Amino acid sequence: MAYDAVLADRVRELLAAERGVSEKAMFGGLAFLIDGNMSVAVSSQGGLMVRLAPEDIGRLLGREHVEPMIMAGRPIRGWLRVGSDGVRTKRQLSAWVDRCVEFTKRLPPK
């Protein structure tokens, strides 16, 4: 399954004012990087893969439409999956994208 191009455009629009943003096709989806660090990705399974501060994962995991990011049968530290229903509105989507950007900007550039 291909990623949701409309969702990718919505993320792109939210990131338009950010410096250092690039895009890269990854895992069948589309990743958005900031200064070379993956920040958020439109998933080929629907919804988003979001990169967050590890200390925030437990608190956010309890939210509706949010689950651990699993790859090769293992949870990926610092990442969550947000289902399509959790990013339907601009407010929902921008809250997740803003969190990702805030965390990723704290990382050293690659």
Side-chain angles (χ1 to χ4, degrees):
M1 174 175 149
Y3 66 86
D4 181 340
V6 173
L7 180 55
D9 286 342
R10 292 174 59 213
V11 172
R12 196 176 284 119
E13 180 181 322
L14 292 171
L15 293 173
E18 292 295 330
R19 297 174 63 133
V21 174
S22 60
E23 299 177 20
K24 186 173 185 178
M26 298 178 87
F27 314 114
L30 183 65
F32 292 87
L33 296 84
I34 298 177
D35 294 327
N37 292 296
M38 275 185 64
S39 182
V40 61
V42 179
S43 174
S44 62
Q45 298 174 6
L48 295 178
M49 297 183 298
V50 295
R51 186 175 192 180
L52 305 163
E55 60 270 15
D56 293 338
I57 297 293
R59 177 177 53 84
L60 296 170
L61 194 52
R63 292 188 173 197
E64 192 173 10
H65 312 296
V66 177
E67 58 189 45
M69 176 68 200
I70 306 290
M71 291 189 90
R74 293 183 165 166
I76 305 300
R77 180 176 147 85
W79 286 86
L80 292 175
R81 179 178 301 284
V82 181
S84 297
D85 288 339
V87 293
R88 290 221 185 274
T89 68
K90 184 172 185 174
R91 182 177 174 187
Q92 289 173 311
L93 180 60
S94 64
W96 286 110
V97 170
D98 289 349
R99 278 186 190 97
C100 293
V101 168
E102 180 183 320
F103 175 68
T104 310
K105 282 182 159 182
R106 297 188 316 217
L107 300 173
K110 287 188 173 183

